Amino acid sequence: MLPKLQAEEQLAAISAASIGGGHVKPADSRRAIRDLERAANGGRRRAMKATPDILAAMGIAVIKQQEGGDER
């Protein structure tokens, strides 16, 4: 596992040097920086709409109500 981590760190250093040295197209540089900022901020993604199956898997009770509204 250590060689893999070292390789990842070396690739990150090479990328940083390439971007910082101006050896990368501006669009590619902006994309790389945006991706790094997104990862540094926790990699936020859009939330999925919860389905009854997802809620049930999370332990949230799902009660299906018949159409026609409230029966109070």
Side-chain angles (χ1 to χ4, degrees):
M1 186 66 155
L2 191 56
K4 181 179 178 182
L5 181 59
Q6 289 172 334
E8 288 175 355
E9 289 178 351
Q10 185 65 35
L11 284 171
I14 290 169
S15 294
S18 297
I19 291 170
H23 302 290
V24 178
K25 294 178 184 175
D28 292 336
S29 176
R30 284 191 300 273
R31 186 179 310 115
I33 291 171
R34 182 191 66 227
D35 292 345
L36 287 171
E37 287 174 342
R38 197 175 286 153
N41 291 327
R44 295 187 181 128
R45 298 182 300 203
R46 291 183 184 202
M48 284 179 33
K49 182 176 180 181
T51 64
D53 292 336
I54 292 173
L55 293 173
M58 295 170 60
I60 299 172
V62 178
I63 301 171
K64 295 183 181 180
Q65 187 174 6
Q66 292 181 354
E67 288 188 33
D70 227 349
E71 294 184 14
R72 290 182 191 186

